[in-house]
Amino acid sequence: MAKQLDYHTLREIFSRFQAAEPEPKGELDHVNAYTLVVAVALSAQATDAGVNKATHELFKIADTPQKMLDLGEEGLIEHIKTIGLYRNKAKNVIKMARILVDDYGGEVPNSRAALQSLPGVGRKTANVVLNMWWHYPAQAVDTHIFRVGNRSGICPGKDVDAVERAIEDNIPVDFQQHAHHWLILHGRYHCKARKPMCGTCIIRDLCQYEDKNL
């Protein structure tokens, strides 16, 4: 685990991320808050591309909780059976739809606690939805952010909760809205797990990773 980088270094790092990608976006397709929740829940142990392929037709016919209930569990499975753990995910999506209809008037709640009370929605999923739909600076820590944070010193921590706190506590506020997207994209396309592309990395001179692949 690298040592936490100082304020001025972090400001320079995120200034570079911002210059390279001013408005980073999540890569899961969605049309409203509900389809975003479903897409993120389906993305556990699956690729965004795989989820997008499965939901392309699904969201045309089931873009609200009630429409998802009308489709039913078996109908949902037909759309998502290419995704890992699809049976368990289908059960959770249908349970979630029932709760949203019965307890929230068919609307997706926008508090972290309420979101996390839904089947299949953990803290990371809740934070993604809060950030992407309601533009709240919540930090959704995945394996990419955990790796980048600990390698570089941007947001080191022994577990995902510690990394989330490190982002919130140390990264300047004006970068908080997009911080997790910049870190995810950097981990996915540059600071890869097995062969990090350090030679073309825009922050390699500021990164504390000792085993740079140059």
Side-chain angles (χ1 to χ4, degrees):
M1 185 189 302
K3 181 182 176 183
Q4 175 66 60
L5 292 171
D6 64 66
Y7 174 84
H8 298 290
T9 304
L10 289 173
R11 177 159 284 285
E12 176 60 25
I13 284 172
F14 281 90
S15 293
R16 294 182 190 182
F17 285 158
Q18 186 178 56
E21 185 68 64
E23 292 288 335
K25 305 291 184 185
E27 297 183 329
L28 285 171
D29 294 338
H30 60 284
V31 295
N32 55 28
Y34 174 64
T35 54
L36 178 58
V37 175
V38 172
V40 180
L42 292 176
S43 71
Q45 298 180 37
T47 65
D48 287 358
V51 172
N52 289 340
K53 186 175 180 180
T55 60
H56 180 69
E57 295 300 321
L58 172 65
F59 289 159
K60 291 180 181 179
I61 60 173
D63 60 353
T64 69
Q66 185 59 58
K67 288 179 183 177
M68 192 67 75
L69 289 176
D70 294 342
L71 179 63
E73 189 173 322
E74 290 305 315
L76 173 58
I77 284 174
E78 283 303 306
H79 286 277
I80 68 168
K81 60 187 178 183
T82 55
I83 301 174
L85 307 174
Y86 67 90
R87 289 194 181 277
N88 189 55
K89 289 176 180 179
K91 283 185 173 64
N92 282 334
V93 169
I94 295 299
K95 287 179 185 175
M96 182 201 304
R98 172 54 62 195
I99 291 170
L100 290 174
V101 168
D102 291 349
D103 298 345
Y104 295 97
E107 299 294 325
V108 176
N110 63 351
S111 80
R112 187 183 283 120
L115 284 167
Q116 284 188 245
S117 74
L118 299 172
V121 178
R123 186 178 180 88
K124 185 182 84 169
T125 296
N127 281 348
V128 170
V129 175
L130 291 172
N131 182 287
M132 288 181 63
W133 192 257
W134 283 287
H135 308 296
Y136 177 76
Q139 308 301 333
V141 178
D142 68 354
T143 55
H144 296 301
I145 294 180
F146 189 81
R147 179 176 66 255
V148 171
N150 279 293
R151 271 182 180 172
S152 65
I154 291 172
C155 48
K158 66 182 186 302
D159 54 38
V160 293
D161 290 338
V163 170
E164 183 180 331
R165 285 194 301 274
I167 296 173
E168 293 175 344
D169 290 348
N170 294 287
I171 293 174
V173 168
D174 47 318
F175 297 119
Q176 291 270 339
Q177 177 63 53
H178 295 311
H180 91 274
H181 278 132
W182 281 317
L183 291 169
I184 287 171
L185 294 172
H186 191 66
R188 184 174 290 164
Y189 298 112
H190 300 283
C191 194
K192 299 178 181 180
R194 295 192 178 183
K195 289 188 177 181
M197 300 166 66
C198 303
T200 56
C201 174
I202 62 173
I203 63 165
R204 66 182 178 275
D205 57 318
L206 304 174
C207 170
Q208 294 192 66
Y209 188 44
E210 294 181 352
D211 299 319
K212 287 188 174 72
N213 180 33
L214 296 171

